[in-house]
């Protein structure tokens, strides 16, 4: 199912990882070319707080403090990504959702979208995987086309 309006809608899964940053950049360029809009989805769960500051350190300059909750950190990640899109003059909205399954959150946000863009993997612990569980689930259950991005290898 695609969007009933004439606006091309791109859903982007964004968790602050290097892979999601590449997905966001690709989606911004596609939105620019199609005069489309971005819909960023950042799902958070009750992961240990020690995980999140490291994410922010790499993604947006370490704006988290140990007292921040996972929800606050996810919100900060998304706010930074939306700020990047706005600086590029792109229409973008965001959803920060508490969800045990980031893939389900992305899929729910994409019911009327034209395209989903996700990184090939996120922050999962299996760094040798070429395709993470979230991107795999999105590919297999998406209501629209899916693009999986990867960072360039040196």
């Amino acid at each position: 199912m695609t969007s009933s309006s004439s606006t091309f809608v791109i859903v982007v899964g964004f968790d602050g990882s290097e892979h999601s940053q590449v997905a966001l950049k690709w989606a911004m360029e596609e939105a620019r070319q199609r005069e489309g809009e971005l819909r960023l989805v950042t799902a958070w769960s009750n992961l240990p707080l020690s995980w999140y500051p490291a994410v922010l350190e790499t993604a947006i300059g370490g704006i988290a403090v140990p007292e921040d909750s996972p929800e606050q950190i996810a919100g900060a990640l998304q706010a930074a990504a939306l700020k990047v899109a706005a600086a590029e003059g792109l229409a973008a909205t965001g959803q920060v959702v508490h969800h045990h399954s980031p893939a389900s959150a992305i899929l729910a946000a994409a019911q009327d979208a034209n395209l989903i863009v996700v990184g090939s993997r996120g922050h999962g612990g299996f760094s040798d995987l070429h395709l993470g569980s979230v991107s795999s689930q999105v590919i297999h259950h998406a209501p629209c086309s899916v693009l999986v991005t990867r960072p360039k290898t040196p």
Side-chain angles (χ1 to χ4, degrees), residues 2-80:
T2 57
S3 176
S4 61
S5 72
S6 61
T7 302
F8 194 86
V9 176
I10 303 171
V11 171
V12 184
F14 187 80
D15 66 1
S17 67
E18 178 186 10
H19 290 255
S20 72
Q21 291 178 45
V22 171
L24 177 60
K25 288 177 187 173
W26 196 97
M28 288 190 326
E29 184 57 35
E30 188 70 13
R32 183 177 296 107
Q33 290 178 16
R34 294 181 179 267
E35 296 180 10
E37 67 181 50
L38 299 172
R39 187 180 300 158
L40 277 66
V41 177
T42 303
W44 65 276
S45 63
N46 295 324
L47 292 173
L49 288 177
S50 60
W51 177 85
Y52 288 95
V55 172
L56 286 168
E57 188 68 35
T58 17
I60 55 177
I63 63 170
V65 295
E67 296 82 30
D68 285 347
S69 70
E71 182 178 17
Q72 290 170 312
I73 294 169
L77 282 168
Q78 187 170 94

Side-chain angles (χ1 to χ4, degrees), residues 137-149:
Q137 283 184 293
V138 169
I139 290 167
H140 288 96
H141 301 287
C144 60
S145 297
V146 178
L147 175 78
V148 179
T149 63

Side-chain angles (χ1 to χ4, degrees), residues 59-135:
I60 55 177
I63 63 170
V65 295
E67 296 82 30
D68 285 347
S69 70
E71 182 178 17
Q72 290 170 312
I73 294 169
L77 282 168
Q78 187 170 94
L82 289 169
K83 190 174 182 179
V84 168
E88 295 288 325
L90 298 169
T93 59
Q95 277 182 285
V96 176
V97 294
H98 180 249
H99 210 293
H100 67 282
S101 168
S104 294
I106 292 166
L107 293 167
Q111 290 305 306
D112 65 342
N114 301 97
L115 177 66
I116 300 171
V117 182
V118 292
S120 58
R121 46 177 288 102
H123 293 290
F126 302 105
S127 60
D128 290 340
L129 288 178
H130 293 289
L131 190 65
S133 62
V134 172
S135 50

